[in-house]
Amino acid sequence: MARDLPALLAALPKAELHVHIEGTLEPEMIFALARRNGVSLPYASVEELRKAYAFTDLQSFLDIYYAGASVLLKEQDFQDMAMAYFERAAADNVVRAEIFFDPQTHTARGVSMETVISGLHGACVQARQRWGISADLILCFLRHLSEEEALATLDAALPWRQHFIGVGLDSSEVGHPPVKFARVFERARALGLHVVAHAGEEGPPEYIWQALDILKAERIDHGVQAVNDPALMQRLAKERIPLTVCPLSNLKLCVFPDLREHNLPALLDAGLCATINSDDPAYFGGYINDNFVQTFAATGMTREHAVQLARNSIEASFAPDAEKDLWLRKIDRLIEEGSG
Ligand code: HPA
Ligand code: ZN
């Protein structure tokens, strides 16, 4: 008997390609780590902190997100945070996770690059052993800071070059176009790193063009503003440049007023390699399967869309081809069994 749609969405093997590990820090863990590390918080309780999660735009979220990350001091803290994410991801049938981290948020507080990367890398190794999840790290530069600071951050991370597969660009988008980071992305590419960039979340299609033409981004994170530029839509479809779309994030940051108006179905129907991801699930009200289930319920997308999204996520990932083939066959089997 065929599964109902929410069961199919849950059962599909999927890759999560857009999740900021600092955005998986649940309020309970923020308070537990604050106690463990003797950090004082400007909120009296978990409930009070959760109540502050009423965002109006990207910046209103980032201010609280950076404050939450201030409880992370030791290698074990980073490992515990990432293990909590992997446990949730495993329950959602995530087979591959490409995880963003923001070293500058931590090094600015005196936490060493080694502490950050060792803790997160340790969790990636354990995720494979415990849940069979294939996981890698992507180092993000904070775009509200200077390119010189991004270059220094890349240099500082090079002793752990083997522990991350790529670089990305996040934080406040408008006013900080991709071109600002042309040199550091060129350097990253020369080092053999993958390159991705947030573009077209709140910023204009021009930032997506820059991410493609100047940074040579292999994927665009968010990218939902592309629908306002037909020539860009054609390019994204023709070159199958993946968009890592995050519907609940877009809803909570008021990029769309209602999930029913999200343009994900339009992106898919235009032939783009769009994917569904959670972005900062502890802040936006749901992990990857919540994003799938709520978006499908709101937009009326079909089982065909579901299978396409799962396949897109595998295609768009930076995993080795042998692993990708295995997961694509798993998706085929799920459908052939009649359960799809
Ligand atoms: N956009 C930009 N920067 C971010 C985000 C996002 O959605 N989440 C965490 N840092
Ligand atoms: Zn993001």
Side-chain angles (χ1 to χ4, degrees), residues 141 167-169 181-189 195-197 215:
F141 304 116
V167 300
L169 188 63
F181 296 91
R183 287 179 306 152
V184 71
F185 271 69
E186 190 179 348
R187 173 119 207 278
R189 289 198 315 274
V195 298
V196 299
L215 305 187

Side-chain angles (χ1 to χ4, degrees), residues 25-35 41-53 64 282-283:
L25 205 45
E26 292 285 346
E28 289 77 6
M29 192 176 274
I30 291 179
F31 272 81
L33 290 176
R35 258 194 310 278
L41 291 169
Y43 301 94
S45 65
V46 164
E47 294 68 40
E48 205 183 297
L49 176 57
R50 255 211 186 91
K51 265 199 210 119
Y53 292 1
I64 285 195
Y283 292 88

